[in-house]
Amino acid sequence: MVGHVVAYDDLLNAVIVSAGLFMTAFPFSSLVQLAHVAGFALIVTGLVEAVGASRRRAGMLRPLH
């Protein structure tokens, strides 16, 4: 079960990095447009994280050392 959580985290990290590369690679016509795209990306990432966290059981989480 822990492997599934690690794979999910790796996939989400890849999506976040890809979104960051997209925002830096393509020029936006204004700072406002960039802020809207970045804000939308942050909201979607937060929602995905919240749904993923709510579906995890406490036994699946790794302790921090």
Side-chain angles (χ1 to χ4, degrees), residues 21-55:
L21 290 173
F22 173 78
M23 283 188 264
T24 57
F26 295 103
F28 292 94
S29 61
S30 68
L31 187 59
V32 173
Q33 186 181 18
L34 175 63
H36 282 117
V37 172
F40 179 72
L42 287 173
I43 289 170
V44 169
T45 303
L47 289 174
V48 170
E49 280 287 336
V51 169
S54 68
R55 297 181 66 192

